[in-house]
Amino acid sequence: MGFRRRLTDLWQPWHSGQALLAIPLGLIAAITVVDILAPGDIHLGPLLIVAPAITPWFAGPWLTGLVGALAVAAQAIIAVLRDQDELFSTNHQVQIAALALLSLVIVVFSRQRERRNRQLDRVRSVSEATQRVVIPPLPHRMGPLRIASAYRAADDEAMIGGDLYAAARTRRGARLLIGDVRGKGMTAISDASVIMGSFREAAHRSATLAEVVVALEASIRRHLTEHAPHSEADELYEQFVTALVLDIHDEEPVAQMINCGHPPPLLLHKHRVTGLHPSQAEPPLGMYDLPRTGLTLDPFPFGDDDTLLLYTDGIIEARSPDGAFYPLAERVAQWTDSGPEALLHHIRADLIAHVGGQLNDDAAAVAIQRSPKLAPGQQLRKMVRVSSPDGSG
């Protein structure tokens, strides 16, 4: 079983990297021929170490060991053909031993790198599973709404950070949440999971949007109190979550929001982009030193073909190499005719180009578009086309 696995490991790199394998093999052949034909005072044999050194770039440890063995054999051939009177001179013996030792070291490092890569793959798999549990993908359709979401963590290997979003279906329509936990790492992920769990429960049990926010506030404060060490009480006041909670009705062309310190959403309506700023600023969730005196519900029109863009500050605070912030509202104005998926695709590509390839903060965005209602005659014709037995429509 172990031998079969070794053969599999040996064959797989050969099959996938056979074109690149010609490079070290070609180097071994070229160095061997040139060294044999070179004058007696020129020794190119030590350059053979280059062949096993570059093999780990595209192959595993077994194939690297094979190339190293071929390099040692080539050095022995050079010794035989160049020193015919003295089969193995001290110089060639030292070169062969050094080449074998260095090849062995390269194989060991290649094996360690392969082991770390496997561990990283497992970490990525766990990270993907965690992301699906903590921040599951939003549904593409929710009543009359088309929804698209995008998430990019600052750490590409982590795949998840402190940004969050969620959606829940209610009797009257849809409720959505987007938020941003202060900080990064496991603490931010833990805080985000608490907010997400609280929203999933409160979105169905709470009659009003204000009650949802109150439930989120209670959950995050309870979580911070229970998990913050007593000796670090001062840090408790520095942990908070910005959040934006929305109610979108199915039958009415209107939506309502409560904004708790989060960047204002953008409304795309007939080639215009409008920032939906709250009428009264609310502090973020979990800020003990800023008491919440009341919750202001802000309604706004949201009709057919309108698109609502929710986002976190990782997008608008992304800087270009020369220090310029990403102008989200200005860039979005050119994509007002795009659907939710296409809109987020444009933003993602343009944002990465703006920062030069790497974000320094987590970034999340949700695009919501209300589909136009069909008139009764149009609904009937659509039903007839769908149920037509010949499929002709």
Side-chain angles (χ1 to χ4, degrees), residues 48 70-81 87-88 92 96 99:
L48 289 169
L70 292 176
V72 172
Q75 182 63 62
I77 294 174
I78 293 173
V80 171
L81 297 181
L87 188 60
F88 286 104
H92 283 297
I96 291 174
L99 182 59

Side-chain angles (χ1 to χ4, degrees), residues 81-133:
L81 297 181
R82 291 200 59 163
D83 298 329
Q84 297 180 359
D85 296 334
E86 184 179 354
L87 188 60
F88 286 104
S89 65
T90 303
N91 179 45
H92 283 297
Q93 291 178 7
V94 172
Q95 291 183 15
I96 291 174
L99 182 59
L101 179 61
L102 290 175
S103 297
L104 179 61
V105 170
I106 292 172
V107 170
V108 172
F109 275 103
S110 176
R111 183 173 180 81
Q112 290 298 323
R113 190 188 69 169
E114 185 180 66
R115 184 176 301 173
R116 286 195 299 271
N117 288 340
R118 290 176 179 174
Q119 292 175 347
L120 182 58
D121 289 340
R122 288 194 290 268
V123 170
R124 287 172 176 167
S125 177
V126 172
S127 180
E128 290 176 358
T130 303
Q131 184 186 42
R132 288 193 295 268
V133 172

Side-chain angles (χ1 to χ4, degrees), residues 240-264:
F240 56 84
V241 182
T242 67
L244 176 71
V245 188
L246 290 163
D247 251 346
I248 302 178
H249 302 298
D250 286 349
E251 302 299 330
E252 303 174 15
V254 65
Q256 298 173 327
M257 73 174 185
I258 295 180
N259 192 332
C260 298
H262 199 77

Side-chain angles (χ1 to χ4, degrees), residues 5 44 61 108 178 243 297 319:
R5 180 176 180 180
L44 300 179
V108 172
I178 187 167
L297 192 65
R319 292 177 179 265

Side-chain angles (χ1 to χ4, degrees), residues 330-355:
E330 176 184 331
R331 299 295 177 86
V332 167
Q334 59 186 319
W335 305 313
T336 54
D337 291 334
S338 303
E341 296 83 2
L343 176 62
L344 294 189
H345 175 76
H346 289 310
I347 294 174
R348 185 188 303 111
D350 193 52
L351 179 62
I352 296 302
H354 177 81
V355 301

Side-chain angles (χ1 to χ4, degrees), residues 35-55:
D35 199 354
I36 293 174
L37 298 178
D41 58 340
I42 297 178
H43 299 279
L44 300 179
L47 295 178
L48 289 169
I49 191 59
V50 174
I54 66 175
T55 304

Side-chain angles (χ1 to χ4, degrees), residues 179-195:
D180 186 359
V181 178
R182 180 186 180 274
K184 299 179 182 179
M186 293 303 300
T187 301
I189 296 174
S190 176
D191 295 347
S193 66
V194 170
I195 290 293

